[in-house]
Amino acid sequence: MRINYNDLGTNNIITDPLKNIHLINKKYATEKVDENNISATIDISEDAVNKYFDEGVFDTISNDMKTNKSNKIYTSNDIVKEYGKKYAEVYNKIMENAPEDKRTAYLDKLDSAFQKAVDDECNKMIHKIEKCFMDSDMECSLDKESFRDLFSKIANATKDYFVDGSKQQLDTYISNKIGNIESGDFKTYSTFTKVTDMFDYTSKISDKMKSLREMLIENSPDDIIASSDLMNTILSYTNKINKDIEKLNELKDSINTDEMSDKFGKDFMKLMDKKTSDMNDVNSKMQKYAELLEKYKKIQKQIDKANAKREALNQKLDKANETKNQGLVSMYLKRVESYDVKIAKLEAESAQIESEMATLLKDIKESNI
């Protein structure tokens, strides 16, 4: 289908529509198809441009990261870096393609959209921090105003890094750009990122643990091993949670409280000591439950196999009885009795595993995550 582009005064930012159409997202344009369905007109209006900057330019980044299929934990710092990359991409398109009489207006809109996205991300992080303290019945001593100021400075330094096309390491560039931090709860960029990453990890791990806990509560061991999809999902969750917990512990061990304010530093470490202790405890129980599930599945297969063999021997025993062949009767009777002993032993092991899983599940249900 051939596409024509009408120039309504603002779409001349797109000098090569097929190459740069992503600058003005197609969903914000008006599409008209003629009666023969052979051509369409995309009207890039002033409203479409405004919607792109107000709603589209940065929103999809955080949404895509939230819905990623890999279950990777994307932190607030990761999202801000992607905002910086996107800002530089659009900034360069404007500088290359926008007419001079539109350039300043577009850059102002881009700046406003960037700052709004950063402010929204900052508010989400503050809410996350406050909730984490509240969930542990602790008062949050975070200096929110200085936190907002530092968050914004870091975001703008990140944006400048990508616009400048700097060859420095990003962390070095940002640290140099923001300079000495004179007030607030953080004295270095490094500690700021580690602390905020810890709150992201704590929140996301808690969500994953709650989802896994719900799966374990709602499905019996027999239900789980009967569904390979469910079994694989549970094993995948336990593996990912374990790796995330390892990362959380590494972050905690790397924190230097000398680079934080006295009050918040002490409160933060007290909070994280409790959170990591609780999460490590629940994680060890979830890992053990997953191990027992695999053992339980293996034993059930052994029981099913032994029962099938016992049934086959029982049928041979019945035929031997019919022919009154005492030699065969005696042989098959011993083998059936042998399988009875084996099955009883396997069922006792199975019952022991079920008992252990029930105890673990009770603790997991009552856990503070």
Side-chain angles (χ1 to χ4, degrees):
M1 183 170 69
R2 179 168 51 86
I3 298 180
N4 301 316
Y5 294 87
N6 279 356
D7 184 350
L8 302 184
T10 61
N11 69 325
N12 52 1
I13 189 173
I14 304 174
T15 55
D16 181 355
L18 297 180
K19 181 179 179 184
N20 298 320
I21 188 62
H22 65 276
L23 180 59
I24 306 298
N25 194 313
K26 187 176 174 181
K27 74 178 180 178
Y28 297 127
T30 303
E31 184 169 350
K32 299 175 183 177
V33 181
D34 69 16
E35 60 183 8
N36 297 316
N37 198 33
I38 59 172
S39 68
T41 297
I42 308 296
D43 292 339
I44 308 299
S45 66
E46 187 71 34
D47 284 345
V49 175
N50 289 336
K51 276 191 174 184
Y52 174 72
F53 285 115
D54 292 344
E55 300 174 16
V57 63
F58 295 109
D59 284 3
T60 55
I61 292 172
S62 57
N63 290 338
D64 288 347
M65 286 177 143
K66 284 175 189 172
T67 57
N68 77 91
K69 303 295 183 185
S70 67
N71 270 330
K72 171 180 164 53
I73 291 180
Y74 286 105
T75 67
S76 179
N77 293 304
D78 292 328
I79 292 172
V80 168
K81 284 174 189 173
E82 292 303 313
Y83 286 166
K85 289 179 188 176
K86 187 66 176 179
Y87 180 99
E89 176 193 330
V90 179
Y91 175 90
N92 289 332
K93 291 295 180 188
I94 291 171
M95 296 306 289
E96 291 168 10
N97 302 321
E100 287 188 20
D101 63 332
K102 298 289 183 182
R103 191 174 296 160
T104 300
Y106 288 152
L107 290 175
D108 287 345
K109 290 177 188 295
L110 179 60
D111 284 337
S112 296
F114 178 79
Q115 195 57 54
K116 180 181 181 299
V118 168
D119 289 344
D120 287 348
E121 195 61 36
C122 179
N123 287 332
K124 288 176 191 173
M125 176 51 69
I126 289 173
H127 175 73
K128 201 172 290 181
I129 293 170
E130 289 179 323
K131 185 177 184 304
C132 199
F133 275 98
M134 184 177 66
D135 289 346
S136 293
D137 297 321
M138 290 178 64
E139 184 179 345
C140 179
S141 58
L142 179 72
D143 181 342
K144 288 186 279 190
E145 289 311 308
S146 67
F147 183 91
R148 284 194 176 92
D149 183 58
L150 181 56
F151 197 101
S152 181
K153 284 180 179 176
I154 290 169
N156 279 289
T158 305
K159 168 197 73 177
D160 292 344
Y161 172 84
F162 290 109
V163 170
D164 292 348
S166 174
K167 301 299 182 185
Q168 281 184 296
Q169 290 292 320
L170 176 60
D171 291 356
T172 303
Y173 181 96
I174 293 173
S175 294
N176 292 338
K177 191 86 173 178
I178 64 177
N180 294 328
I181 303 171
E182 303 292 343
S183 61
D185 294 315
F186 303 93
K187 298 176 184 177
T188 66
Y189 165 66
S190 173
T191 295
F192 175 88
T193 58
K194 288 174 183 176
V195 167
T196 51
D197 280 357
M198 279 197 73
F199 280 109
D200 276 318
Y201 268 81
T202 301
S203 174
K204 299 291 173 58
I205 291 169
S206 177
D207 289 344
K208 287 182 185 178
M209 282 183 161
K210 286 173 183 174
S211 295
L212 179 55
R213 178 170 65 183
E214 189 174 341
M215 280 187 263
L216 299 180
I217 291 171
E218 291 182 352
N219 298 280
S220 71
D222 287 323
D223 292 334
I224 294 169
I225 66 171
S227 168
S228 57
D229 285 346
L230 182 56
M231 182 76 172
N232 289 336
T233 298
I234 287 170
L235 294 177
S236 174
Y237 261 78
T238 55
N239 288 334
K240 284 170 182 172
I241 288 170
N242 196 48
K243 288 179 182 177
D244 292 340
I245 289 278
E246 287 176 2
K247 176 64 175 175
L248 182 66
N249 289 327
E250 286 174 14
L251 281 168
K252 180 173 174 288
D253 291 342
S254 71
I255 295 288
N256 182 358
T257 53
D258 290 339
E259 295 178 355
M260 301 166 70
S261 68
D262 209 35
K263 171 66 173 161
F264 184 75
K266 286 178 180 175
D267 289 348
F268 172 78
M269 291 310 294
K270 181 181 177 182
L271 172 70
M272 286 302 161
D273 281 343
K274 185 177 187 308
K275 285 286 183 184
T276 54
S277 175
D278 289 346
M279 286 184 168
N280 282 320
D281 179 58
V282 178
N283 180 49
S284 67
K285 287 170 181 172
M286 287 179 164
Q287 297 300 318
K288 181 65 177 174
Y289 194 94
E291 288 172 17
L292 290 174
L293 268 176
E294 291 186 288
K295 284 185 180 179
Y296 184 74
K297 182 177 182 178
K298 184 178 179 181
I299 284 178
Q300 294 310 307
K301 282 185 177 180
Q302 290 175 330
I303 290 172
D304 290 344
K305 190 176 179 181
N307 274 322
K309 287 187 175 181
R310 185 198 180 284
E311 180 58 30
L313 286 170
N314 212 41
Q315 289 176 8
K316 290 179 180 180
L317 176 61
D318 289 343
K319 286 181 180 178
N321 276 320
E322 286 173 9
T323 60
K324 302 187 185 308
N325 187 328
Q326 291 304 313
L328 286 177
V329 168
S330 177
M331 181 185 74
Y332 286 132
L333 189 59
K334 285 179 182 177
R335 292 181 68 183
V336 167
E337 288 172 350
S338 174
Y339 269 95
D340 284 341
V341 171
K342 183 177 181 179
I343 291 167
K345 185 179 178 182
L346 287 169
E347 286 179 341
E349 278 186 66
S350 175
Q352 177 61 32
I353 290 173
E354 284 185 275
S355 175
E356 288 180 49
M357 285 195 291
T359 301
L360 283 169
L361 187 58
K362 181 177 181 295
D363 290 342
I364 291 169
K365 279 182 184 180
E366 296 170 356
S367 61
N368 182 23
I369 53 173

